[in-house]
Amino acid sequence: MSAIHLRNLVKRFGAFTALKTMDLDIADGEFMAILGPSGCGKSTTMNMIAGLEEPSSGSIHFSDRDMAGVPMGKRNVGFVFQNYAIFTHMTVRQNLAYGPTMQRAQTAEVNKKVAEMADFLQLTELLDRKADKLSVNILQRVAIGRSAILKPAIFLLDEPLSNVDAAFRAVMRTELKQLQRQFKQTMVYVTHDQLEAMTMADRIAVMDHGVLQQVGTPLEVYNNPVNTFVATFIGSPGMNLVKGTPTETKQGLRINLGAIGKSPILPPALASNLKSRNSEVWYGFRPENITVGTKADDLSLPITFTERIGARTIVHLGEGLSMKAVFDNETPVTVGKTLNFTLKPEHVLLFDGTSGVRIGMEAAHG
Ligand code: ATP
């Protein structure tokens, strides 16, 4: 069992800084997802936790033990990569038995562990099959089993499901979560897929361009994104953002959203956070919080495209605006028609028009 503490962690490759001053605490037994787009520094962070890369500066502690100079083999970490690292000339049984055998466990003990892990990962029927004859899906399951069988204090998974097919990915999301619940390891899971992070993690560390943007539970980062990056990266589809300027009307403060119309009246709490009434803001709302409107002063946009995905319909709005609404499949929507819509005040977030930082959270964002 082990907590992980990253302090002022920096990684430079020559003149390029891949990770800029990261502070992160991962609790003992926590499932932390490190989420962000390609190249944002996720793997670099993970490799430093694993001991594959040395930090340029800053520290990594496992509970109260400083990891500076401690090689990977002495860190009690299990590591699973995107490309399953297993021995293809061996059987599934030999692959699973490899770690415990290297640790000089007794044969009976090895057999017991292999049987347990095979049962857990539904590999029992395949134990005597050669790995080179197995599908990518099964190979990744074997790779996870091979690492998990050693019950490392910390389990590190770097995009382990990105090469497997969609149906299997859904199954493995559940299995990995169960694996962690059963063995109670500290789990760090690198992914660029927000759905994986949202469905599995206790907390998510969202990164962009080598900078940690926000750490929170899946619902915290969904409901309270600190900036426009997190707002659009979390959610499928992400949050709608429209540039606008505050405008005083008889009924109260609204945001003028140009061709879309004027926003509903801002609730007093949101209006009072606006330091300047003259600066542009990003007006943010989630596609699933759009309500079909009826009033003359509703917002409006043309429907340009619809995606019917079973229970939900994703409706694309406006030309080149990347705006979307999500409705159930009963709501009538016709491409080419105008959608009049409205929003509840509690579903609106405002972000600084220049920095993208959430208005009212500037101090928290540093
Ligand atoms: P991906 O999902 O594409 O792997 P990532 O978020 O894991 O993305 P990293 O692999 O951590 O990103 O890379 C972060 C940045 O550091 C990238 O711009 C990458 O090109 C750069 N980088 C990583 N390793 C090295 C290296 N050994 N030498 C130089 N640059 C590197």
Side-chain angles (χ1 to χ4, degrees):
M1 294 295 120
S2 188
I4 304 171
H5 306 289
L6 312 182
R7 283 286 167 278
N8 298 319
L9 198 63
V10 175
K11 183 65 186 178
R12 288 184 216 94
F13 294 107
F16 176 72
T17 305
L19 185 71
K20 295 172 194 156
T21 326
M22 173 127 155
D23 282 296
L24 183 65
D25 292 301
I26 304 171
D28 185 12
E30 185 172 32
F31 192 137
M32 175 71 81
I34 301 184
L35 173 70
S38 182
C40 72
K42 307 180 294 290
S43 297
T44 301
T45 306
M46 189 74 131
N47 291 343
M48 288 190 284
I49 297 173
L52 291 166
E53 296 269 9
E54 274 296 306
S56 303
S57 59
S59 68
I60 299 174
H61 283 76
F62 287 177
S63 295
D64 51 11
R65 190 168 163 229
D66 190 347
M67 286 294 121
V70 179
M72 185 177 183
K74 297 244 163 77
R75 291 190 179 203
N76 195 12
V77 293
F79 206 134
V80 178
F81 303 90
Q82 180 174 347
N83 297 315
Y84 42 88
I86 66 165
F87 302 122
T88 47
H89 62 285
M90 291 184 183
T91 62
V92 171
R93 186 189 304 280
Q94 288 164 333
N95 267 287
L96 292 179
Y98 185 82
T101 307
M102 284 292 131
Q103 287 184 338
R104 297 176 198 282
Q106 299 289 316
T107 308
E109 178 67 12
V110 175
N111 291 343
K112 184 165 168 272
K113 285 183 175 188
V114 168
E116 271 171 15
M117 189 49 68
D119 182 46
F120 186 83
L121 289 170
Q122 292 155 52
L123 291 169
T124 308
E125 305 282 300
L126 302 170
L127 274 173
D128 293 314
R129 295 272 291 276
K130 281 275 282 299
D132 63 358
K133 300 280 186 299
L134 299 170
S135 71
V136 170
N137 292 352
I138 299 298
L139 287 177
Q140 193 58 307
R141 204 179 268 231
V142 177
I144 289 165
R146 217 186 64 160
S147 242
I149 202 165
L150 293 171
K151 303 211 171 126
I154 295 174
F155 205 6
L156 307 173
L157 298 108
D158 193 343
E159 306 255 12
L161 305 183
S162 50
N163 284 347
V164 305
D165 62 55
F168 188 74
R169 203 176 303 149
V171 173
M172 284 309 289
R173 283 203 300 265
T174 314
E175 285 188 12
L176 280 171
K177 187 73 198 162
Q178 283 169 347
L179 187 86
Q180 191 245 357
R181 287 223 176 103
Q182 181 161 334
F183 297 124
K184 300 187 173 55
Q185 289 131 331
T186 308
M187 193 105 128
V188 189
Y189 189 99
V190 161
T191 180
H192 62 270
D193 179 348
Q194 63 92 35
L195 181 67
E196 277 182 17
M198 293 291 276
T199 49
M200 285 191 284
D202 297 318
R203 286 192 303 156
I204 304 175
V206 188
M207 294 184 67
D208 187 34
H209 285 102
V211 178
L212 180 62
Q213 306 286 320
Q214 184 168 5
V215 187
T217 65
L219 275 185
E220 277 164 2
V221 292
Y222 175 85
N223 287 328
N224 281 309
V226 295
N227 57 29
T228 49
F229 174 79
V230 178
T232 50
F233 201 78
I234 298 283
S236 179
M239 187 176 280
N240 290 313
L241 293 171
V242 193
K243 263 277 173 77
T245 13
T247 174
E248 215 48 90
T249 66
K250 269 190 218 132
Q251 304 89 350
L253 195 67
R254 296 172 186 262
I255 304 294
N256 186 348
L257 301 172
I260 303 174
K262 288 200 181 69
S263 78
I265 310 288
L266 292 185
L270 212 50
S272 65
N273 280 331
L274 274 176
K275 290 199 186 71
S276 159
R277 297 282 156 106
N278 304 317
S279 307
E280 278 192 321
V281 295
W282 288 108
Y283 184 83
F285 52 96
R286 294 224 168 257
E288 46 277 34
N289 290 333
I290 288 180
T291 314
V292 177
T294 48
K295 298 200 303 294
D297 68 346
D298 284 337
L299 299 166
S300 64
L301 274 170
I303 297 170
T304 50
F305 187 67
T306 59
E307 293 171 78
R308 295 201 177 268
I309 44 170
R312 306 193 310 161
T313 302
I314 301 178
V315 182
H316 296 237
L317 299 167
E319 291 292 346
L321 286 175
S322 309
M323 294 242 321
K324 296 183 182 84
V326 174
F327 296 135
D328 61 28
N329 60 14
E330 309 270 294
T331 308
V333 280
T334 311
V335 173
K337 288 221 165 143
T338 296
L339 178 76
N340 293 320
F341 65 96
T342 187
L343 299 157
K344 289 191 182 146
E346 65 268 28
H347 288 148
V348 172
L349 303 179
L350 297 181
F351 302 87
D352 185 281
T354 312
S355 67
V357 173
R358 175 100 163 269
I359 290 173
M361 289 182 93
E362 294 89 343
H365 200 256

